[in-house]
Amino acid sequence: MTTAPDPAPREPKPALVFDDPLDQQSSDDTDRGWGERPGVGSDSAADLKRFLDEKPPHHI
């Protein structure tokens, strides 16, 4: 009779979390990433350029 080698130790499975997922804040709950452009301060020329850049072509 032959003996099988001991299997390699397995990593433990992650624990199941039964918390309410709606209690946690997601990235969609923040205002980050909603069209802000990097930069400090704003002037009217930059605002006009942004307006013209973001305007759909059928509104020109």
Side-chain angles (χ1 to χ4, degrees):
M1 187 167 161
T2 61
T3 59
D6 290 334
R10 296 183 185 173
E11 293 183 22
K13 293 182 180 179
L16 295 177
V17 178
F18 292 100
D19 294 341
D20 185 6
L22 299 178
D23 286 342
Q24 301 171 4
Q25 186 178 28
S26 70
S27 60
D28 291 341
D29 294 335
T30 63
D31 288 335
R32 280 182 276 135
W34 285 90
E36 295 96 14
R37 292 192 179 209
V40 178
S42 66
D43 56 28
S44 59
D47 290 339
L48 178 62
K49 180 177 183 338
R50 179 179 177 190
F51 174 75
L52 293 174
D53 287 344
E54 294 180 358
K55 193 172 198 180
H58 60 277
H59 286 159
I60 294 180

